[in-house]
Amino acid sequence: MGNPIVFASAILEQLGITEVPDVRDIAAKLGVGIEEANVVGFDGALVRVKGTSIGTIALRESIRAIGRKNFTIADEIGHLVLPGHDESAVVGQEQVETGGPRCAGAG
């Protein structure tokens, strides 16, 4: 895998972001929704159509610290755009409904 800083810089440049980046803005520009949900067992998860960049970030709504929410969103964006992460967060319907067991990529 390449350097994550290089990937992040390239994404910001491609999206035309020159100011301090806002992770929600980045997600929107990438076409990724963010849905806060009443879940336990994980802070965030990328739910996407296998093999594509179409998806939504599920964010645990009980996270109080905005910094933690932003970190979790950024982490899930990383799973979306970094090479080698396109197969790592595949879960079944039962795991989504119950919140477990924890899947790779749920951060």
Side-chain angles (χ1 to χ4, degrees):
M1 182 172 94
N3 184 333
I5 294 171
V6 173
F7 284 104
S9 297
I11 289 168
L12 293 176
E13 183 178 331
Q14 180 181 3
L15 296 175
I17 298 172
T18 58
E19 303 294 321
V20 175
D22 176 281
V23 292
R24 290 177 185 269
D25 184 42
I26 292 170
K29 288 184 177 190
L30 290 172
V32 176
I34 299 171
E35 297 290 331
E36 294 199 25
N38 183 14
V39 296
V40 295
F42 63 90
D43 287 346
L46 175 64
V47 181
R48 68 167 159 199
V49 177
K50 186 177 180 180
T52 73
S53 61
I54 300 169
T56 298
I57 295 170
L59 184 65
R60 184 168 51 91
E61 68 184 1
S62 63
I63 299 172
R64 295 184 189 261
I66 191 67
R68 181 65 190 172
K69 283 188 178 191
N70 288 340
F71 173 85
T72 302
I73 294 167
D75 181 62
E76 298 310 325
I77 290 171
H79 291 297
L80 178 73
V81 301
L82 290 173
H85 288 250
D86 54 344
E87 297 289 329
S88 65
V90 177
V91 295
Q93 181 176 351
E94 179 181 331
Q95 289 138 333
V96 171
E97 290 173 354
T98 64
R102 191 177 159 102
C103 68

